[in-house]
DNA sequence: TCTGGCACTCGCACGCGCAGAGTGCCAGGC
DNA sequence: GCCTGGCACTCTGCGCGTGCGAGTGCCAGA
């Protein structure tokens, strides 16, 4: 177990390194933080911290920098979440309230997060897993062609073209529309399959094929919608990564383009609060020198999606966590209102 | 006017520089291209080309590199568009045909372009300016709340919530839906405003306010939709920019995030064929060291949107132009089929 | 008009040495 | 037992000078 002072030393190292981006030595530490002890003492503590794997030296006789393990301890034990100031909160709220539709909400959220944290922001579109169906619309485009429009309670709209195995009359279509909506409107996505299971039986034999086709398209759409979309922004902030960033930045850009990777990344965060994954804690190796700060957000009590930022492990964790948490909270409010 | 050989020298310089990324000297030129003359002669030609501003030396006694003006001449006079090989064409077609919906078409196109050109790809969503309305759907969500869903012939769906000034009955709603569709279905966006102008007059006085509100929301949506969306990809290719790229890459990333900038960029290309804007020809100064190769694409004869790539001025123009043109052609085909 | 030759100019890589920062360790003091 | 000041040591980074090589411009001759 580390003594109280050693923890303070670690905290000071993290703070200084995040600020200066340069390895920090014992002397500088005692000057900038009044720890009440001499550099020599700090040196001993640093040696101990290094033995434990919390800090490391890039090369002999340079200062120390925190390791992933060091950051982990810092985040877990040594630093809280820095709350946003009231003016910042107001700015966030104002900015988000200007949004005109869901796309705009997401777009604004991305910009906001990127600006506040000066890092790369990632925002997942509100998930439909927990969403409910608001309305299903069926439009006849041709005798054997139907357009299916799904509207969810989060305001998303998805459409699919359905080629019917047989011509389908307007009357049958209206019938299907009515039956379908009476069963699924207001219900959860996950409940829909069993709710419509026996629906084809209510129709004439010659229409059953078409009804089945429409239904299976609907189910596909529901599933597909769960493959979330997301939006990223603030990639220009990657240039602040470090001096050697040509090598670092490349895999990060590649990872950011793989939506699957990002979704998995956000998905891994299970905590109700802000989750931080540091360096090698990230499964994707392109992101081994980055940290991901993420949190769920949602209109009600339930989180319907996640958002977060990706930045260098050397980041201001308390500030970033505060910004991410605040933005998530206000986005949730906006979604609840609309 | 430059002699034939000097043009050949310029062409050789561009090709070598694009290949090696290093300033090219007179000796190397004569070795790699059999120009039939000695280095000394080439030197004279190079001096002339430099006087005319087609090439420059980064510093005294280094080789020459092409200037923007040199690339311009190269693109206009010295190089054609390199057609894709049949296997490449087949690969493009196969890849695009796997798309399930419009979003997927655009997403695949971006990936394809980025891969083929190894540069940053930008694809604009098919424009609605020339699109027509397929259907307008109105759904009653609450007594004084209507959801408006617009479906276009390109398969896009947009929805808006409308808060009505007064409660609006189901019957009136159905009436409005019918009248609206009979007027605007199949019509061009640009024609819609005058087509619905006198529509409120057909309704009872107490409903007119609501009808007007719905209509103006519809018109807003049409206009807003013309603020095109776009998708970008392949940003990881920016890392191949050059050795000094920290400074170069930053403004490019920033420009890429400003959709407005990109749209303007693509919009500037007026030619029916492939357009190339080189270095300082780009209005946005963050893109002064990049070239933009773009082309319109569309389902019919008309171009409904643009796509292109952004890369270093030192790029393989013939190959890039060929890839951009081929992708545009096949995307057009795919759109026409669906 | 082209060519070979020649002198010239720089940028760049290399080697060297120095200063500075930082460390580890040790002996002494509270 | 823990903290402190001192000291020797080890690196890295930087500035400087040098030599090399690539590339040029110019000129006289074919």
């Amino acid at each position: 177990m580390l003594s109280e002072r050693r923890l303070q030393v670690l905290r000071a190292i993290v703070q200084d390194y995040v600020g200066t981006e340069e390895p920090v030595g014992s002397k500088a530490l005692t000057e900038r933080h009044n720890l009440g002890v001499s550099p020599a003492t700090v040196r001993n503590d640093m040696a101990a911290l290094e033995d434990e794997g919390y800090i490391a030296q890039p090369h002999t006789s340079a200062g120390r920098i925190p390791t992933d393990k060091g950051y982990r301890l810092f985040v877990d034990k040594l630093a809280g979440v820095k709350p946003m100031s009231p003016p910042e909160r107001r700015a966030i709220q104002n900015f988000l309230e200007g949004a005109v539709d869901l796309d705009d909400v997401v777009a604004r959220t991305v910009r906001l997060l990127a600006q506040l944290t000066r890092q790369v922001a990632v925002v997942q579109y509100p998930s439909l897993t927990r969403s409910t169906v608001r309305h299903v619309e069926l439009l006849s485009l041709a005798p054997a062609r139907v357009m299916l429009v799904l509207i969810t309670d989060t305001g998303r709209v998805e459409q699919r073209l359905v080629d019917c195995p047989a011509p389908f009359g307007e009357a049958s279509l209206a019938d299907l529309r009515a039956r379908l909506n009476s069963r699924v409107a207001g219900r959860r996505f996950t409940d829909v399959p069993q709710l419509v299971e026996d629906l084809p039986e209510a129709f004439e034999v010659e229409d059953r094929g078409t009804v089945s086709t429409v239904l299976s398209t609907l189910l596909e759409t529901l599933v597909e919608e769960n493959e979330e979309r997301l939006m990223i922004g603030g990639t220009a902030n990657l240039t602040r990564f470090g001096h050697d960033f040509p090598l670092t930045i490349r895999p990060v850009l590649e990872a950011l383009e793989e939506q699957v990777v990002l979704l998995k990344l956000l998905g891994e965060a299970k905590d109700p609060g802000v989750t931080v994954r540091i360096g090698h804690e990230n499964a994707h190796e392109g992101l081994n020198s980055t940290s991901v700060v993420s949190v769920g957000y949602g209109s009600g009590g339930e989180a319907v999606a996640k958002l977060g930022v990706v930045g260098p492990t050397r980041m201001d964790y308390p500030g970033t966590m505060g910004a991410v948490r605040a933005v998530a909270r206000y986005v949730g409010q906006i979604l609840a209102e609309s």
Side-chain angles (χ1 to χ4, degrees), chain A residues 17-37:
Chain A
Y17 182 61
V18 165
T20 64
E21 196 161 345
E22 275 172 9
V24 15
S26 55
K27 198 176 158 204
L29 262 197
T30 52
E31 282 167 5
R32 302 175 45 135
H33 308 259
N34 31 5
L35 299 165
V37 293

Side-chain angles (χ1 to χ4, degrees), chain A residues 252-298:
Chain A
V252 177
L253 275 173
E254 277 168 1
L256 291 177
E257 292 216 342
E258 289 299 326
Q259 304 223 338
V260 190
V261 170
L262 286 179
L263 287 169
K264 206 183 290 175
L265 215 61
L266 291 177
E268 279 172 0
K270 297 292 179 201
D271 286 3
V274 178
T275 303
V276 181
R277 312 213 109 220
I278 298 165
H280 291 79
E281 295 170 9
N282 291 305
H284 189 80
E285 68 176 292
L287 298 174
N288 277 178
S289 55
T290 66
S291 286
V292 179
V293 177
S294 59
V295 69
Y297 70 92

Side-chain angles (χ1 to χ4, degrees), chain A residues 201-215:
Chain A
E201 294 162 22
F203 288 79
E204 304 287 341
V205 181
E206 68 262 29
D207 283 341
R208 283 184 195 167
T210 296
V211 171
S212 297
T213 310
V214 171
L215 289 180

Side-chain angles (χ1 to χ4, degrees), chain A residues 1-13 34-37 41-42 45-46 48-49 73 77-79:
Chain A
M1 191 51 203
L2 292 166
S3 76
E4 183 57 31
R5 195 190 57 229
R6 289 194 177 157
L7 293 176
Q8 279 187 26
V9 169
L10 177 57
R11 179 197 283 134
I13 290 173
N34 31 5
L35 299 165
V37 293
T41 310
V42 171
D45 292 341
M46 287 168 108
L49 286 168
L73 186 61
K77 301 275 156 65
L78 302 176

Side-chain angles (χ1 to χ4, degrees), chain A residues 70-86:
Chain A
Y71 285 123
R72 167 58 44 201
L73 186 61
F74 176 79
V75 168
D76 289 346
K77 301 275 156 65
L78 302 176
V81 176
K82 187 179 157 209
M84 297 272 97
S85 69

